[in-house]
Amino acid sequence: MPIPEEVTGDEIDKDVRQELQSLPKTLAEDVARNLVMVARLLDEDPEGAYGYSRVALRLASRVAAVREAAGFAAYANQKYGEALAEFRAARRMTGSVELWPVMADCERGLGRPEKALDMAGAPEVHKLDKAGQVEMRLVAAGARRDMGQLDAAIVTLQSPELASNSVQPWTARLRYAYADALLAAGREGEAREWFAKAVESDRDGSTDASDRLAELDGVEFMDAMDEDEDETESDGGEGPSVEGRDKD
C-alpha cells in the first residue's frame, strides 16, 4: 500500500521504535512507516488502517507492537475475533495486562457478555492503572446492558471516579455511559443531569453528550438551506440556527 513520502517512521513512540530495533534497519523502517499510517487512519479511515496493519503484520508478526496495532485496527473494523487473537498474542509477548479491558470488550463484540464479566472480576484487573480500571468498569457495564440488566449496569458505573469533581481523561466517557444507562432505564431527569456533567468534562469532543443533552431539552438543529428563502434573506443568511421546540 502506498505511503506518503513525508512519513519516515520516526513519528512512532520511542518504545515502539525500541521494539523494532530487533529487526534489520530497512525492515524496521518499513514496519514503522506502516505503523504510523495505522495510527493516522485508525479513527477517520479504519479500513485503510486495517490494510496497513496487515502489511506490518506480514513484515514483523513477532513484534508485540505490531500485533497490538493489528488488534486495534481489526477492533475498529468490528473484526472482534481477529482483534482478540492479536491482543492475546501481544499480551503473551509482553506479559502486560494493559489490553485486558479491550480484550473483554472483544468478548462483548463476539456476543459473549458473560465472558466479559468474568474478565471484569479477574485478578488482572487489580494490576491495571486507574485509567484501565475505569475502562474495565465501562466494559462491565456494557456487558450488563447486553444482558438486559440495566439496573446492574447503573450500579456498576457508580464509583468514586464517577462521583469525583476532578476531570480526568476518562471522566467524560464515564459520565456519558452513566447518563446513557439512566436514560435507558427511563430515568430521564437524572440522565439529563449527567449528560450535562459529561458536556462540562468533554474538553476534546470525545462524546456526543452535547447532542444528547440538546435532544433531551427539545432543541432542534436546522440547516439554513431548509428554511424559507425569504426568512433566510431577512435574517442575513447567517447559516445554521438553533430553535427550541416543545417535545410534547
Side-chain angles (χ1 to χ4, degrees):
M1 297 179 66
I3 298 177
E5 291 184 5
E6 66 269 18
V7 175
T8 64
D10 292 336
E11 301 88 343
I12 61 174
D13 293 340
K14 64 178 183 179
D15 291 342
V16 177
R17 190 180 302 115
Q18 187 172 358
E19 278 194 64
L20 296 179
Q21 287 179 356
S22 62
L23 303 174
K25 183 178 180 180
T26 301
L27 179 59
E29 291 174 353
D30 288 343
V31 174
R33 295 180 73 210
N34 278 281
L35 292 180
V36 170
M37 295 304 297
V38 173
R40 283 190 176 185
L41 298 176
L42 195 59
D43 293 332
E44 301 298 329
D45 180 11
E47 289 187 9
Y50 180 77
Y52 285 105
S53 77
R54 301 308 295 179
V55 174
L57 197 58
R58 287 198 300 270
L59 294 173
S61 62
R62 296 185 179 182
V63 175
V66 171
R67 303 303 289 264
E68 183 175 330
F72 277 110
Y75 180 82
N77 284 276
Q78 300 182 9
K79 299 177 183 291
Y80 298 115
E82 185 176 323
L84 185 57
E86 297 299 341
F87 290 142
R88 283 173 173 167
R91 182 167 182 266
R92 284 195 301 271
M93 293 174 180
T94 64
S96 171
V97 298
E98 182 180 348
L99 296 170
W100 196 252
V102 72
M103 290 168 63
D105 206 40
C106 286
E107 296 287 1
R108 285 186 61 211
L110 291 168
R112 301 193 293 246
E114 298 89 350
K115 177 62 176 175
L117 287 176
D118 288 344
M119 294 179 69
E124 284 83 353
V125 176
H126 300 294
K127 300 176 184 178
L128 294 168
D129 61 14
K130 181 62 68 176
Q133 290 178 6
V134 171
E135 194 66 34
M136 193 71 248
R137 190 177 292 275
L138 288 167
V139 173
R144 291 292 185 189
R145 291 189 63 172
D146 294 342
M147 299 167 68
Q149 300 173 1
L150 290 177
D151 289 340
I154 291 170
V155 171
T156 298
L157 292 168
Q158 292 171 345
S159 62
E161 293 80 18
L162 179 68
S164 175
N165 291 323
S166 173
V167 176
Q168 302 295 335
W170 60 77
T171 302
R173 293 179 57 239
L174 184 58
R175 291 176 175 179
Y176 181 95
Y178 189 58
D180 195 46
L182 288 168
L183 188 61
R187 296 160 61 174
E188 185 171 318
E190 293 171 87
R192 190 212 173 279
E193 176 187 351
W194 282 96
F195 275 126
K197 290 182 178 181
V199 171
E200 291 174 2
S201 57
D202 194 359
R203 296 169 178 171
D204 59 0
S206 61
T207 74
D208 64 347
S210 60
D211 292 341
R212 300 292 299 278
L213 182 61
E215 183 180 347
L216 285 174
D217 286 345
V219 177
E220 180 178 353
F221 293 87
M222 299 180 63
D223 193 299
M225 294 297 292
D226 295 330
E227 298 177 356
D228 180 82
E229 181 177 352
D230 292 337
E231 182 180 346
T232 303
E233 291 176 354
S234 68
D235 67 14
E238 295 180 353
S241 64
V242 181
E243 295 186 1
R245 62 176 174 83
D246 192 331
K247 291 185 72 175
D248 297 331

